[in-house]
Amino acid sequence: ETGAVTASQPVIDQAVSLGADLLLVHHGYFWKNEPPELTGMKKKRIKTLLEADINLVAYHLPLDFHPEVGNNAWLAELLGVEVEQRFGHANLAICGSMPESISVDELSKRLSQQLQRHPMAVGPMEKPLKRIGICSGAAEDMIAEAKSLGCDAFISGEISERTTHYAREEDIVYFSAGHHATERGGVRLLGDRLAAEFSLEHVFVDDNNPV
């Protein structure tokens, strides 16, 4: 079994070379409103999987939400955030507190060390951070709800132009820590759990993405 964030062509090629029977990912195919025709890169990807007789299993929102192997729970544990409540679309996001207030620079360092990617931070850079909101991926617009819950900072993967203005004017620090980087944990934890429970061999493939 091979695991990865996204079922990209390089990941599929690696799964083939490893002789995988199953490819477990966070980002699969056939998204809402996506054209159903099998053309271009989607055709090549699926053709490669079929010819190699590899099963594709994708868990998107459930792998963000899961309280044990989910991306957001993983991020909270990495950063030392004690989860107190959920919020946002489908209750995917989590909100919790640090044991002690820390600086923007310190939280940036923790994110860099844990995710191997330096985050972009915007907002009140001198603000002490105690209550933290987290949602992996492209959840920057949940910052408003994080603010309403009293969060000093909100961490997600991507950032929009409007996010900077909101953070500055609403006095909440926003960390853009990378879509790919914030979603590497869940599929790896799930793959390890499946391997242990069913005596499988699990290999995580990191097709690095700067976004």
Side-chain angles (χ1 to χ4, degrees):
E1 179 234 327
T2 302
V5 175
T6 300
S8 64
Q9 189 65 47
V11 164
I12 295 170
D13 292 341
Q14 184 70 10
V16 172
S17 69
L18 290 169
D21 300 304
L22 182 144
L23 175 57
L24 174 68
V25 298
H26 183 47
H27 299 138
Y29 309 143
F30 305 107
W31 299 88
K32 184 178 180 181
N33 299 322
E34 179 183 308
E37 294 82 10
L38 297 183
T39 59
M41 69 180 194
K42 187 193 297 185
K43 175 185 175 181
K44 182 181 178 183
R45 288 173 171 182
I46 293 177
K47 183 173 184 287
T48 307
L49 287 167
L50 290 173
E51 288 181 343
D53 198 24
I54 296 175
N55 295 283
L56 176 65
V57 177
Y59 293 105
H60 188 223
L61 298 187
L63 202 52
D64 289 314
F65 176 85
H66 198 280
E68 296 175 5
V69 298
N71 291 317
N72 296 325
W74 168 70
L75 287 168
E77 184 173 355
L78 286 182
L79 299 173
V81 175
E82 184 177 348
V83 179
E84 297 167 351
Q85 65 187 107
R86 290 183 171 273
F87 68 97
H89 173 69
N91 275 334
L92 293 178
I94 58 179
C95 180
S97 296
M98 308 288 290
E100 297 179 354
S101 295
I102 63 172
S103 67
V104 173
D105 284 346
E106 178 58 32
L107 188 51
S108 291
K109 288 177 183 177
R110 290 191 190 185
L111 285 165
S112 296
Q113 291 167 354
Q114 297 294 347
L115 302 182
Q116 294 82 54
R117 181 190 187 278
H118 187 69
M120 176 185 291
V122 296
M125 303 303 287
E126 302 303 319
K127 185 182 181 72
L129 310 178
K130 173 74 172 176
R131 191 164 169 80
I132 312 295
I134 300 171
C135 192
S136 67
E140 62 266 43
D141 287 335
M142 288 187 189
I143 188 174
E145 193 166 350
K147 170 65 180 179
S148 73
L149 294 173
C151 290
D152 302 309
F154 182 57
I155 301 166
S156 189
E158 299 186 26
I159 186 169
S160 299
E161 189 270 349
R162 60 187 175 273
T163 317
T164 299
H165 300 296
Y166 186 93
R168 289 173 177 171
E169 295 175 40
E170 291 289 348
D171 192 40
I172 178 172
V173 182
Y174 180 76
F175 293 88
S176 171
H179 194 137
H180 176 86
T182 59
E183 295 188 333
R184 281 191 304 221
V187 72
R188 188 157 32 189
L189 290 173
L190 178 58
D192 289 343
R193 177 173 291 192
L194 291 173
E197 185 168 345
F198 298 103
S199 300
L200 303 173
E201 181 182 352
H202 169 67
V203 178
F204 179 76
V205 177
D206 193 6
D207 182 18
N208 194 27
N209 187 327
V211 174

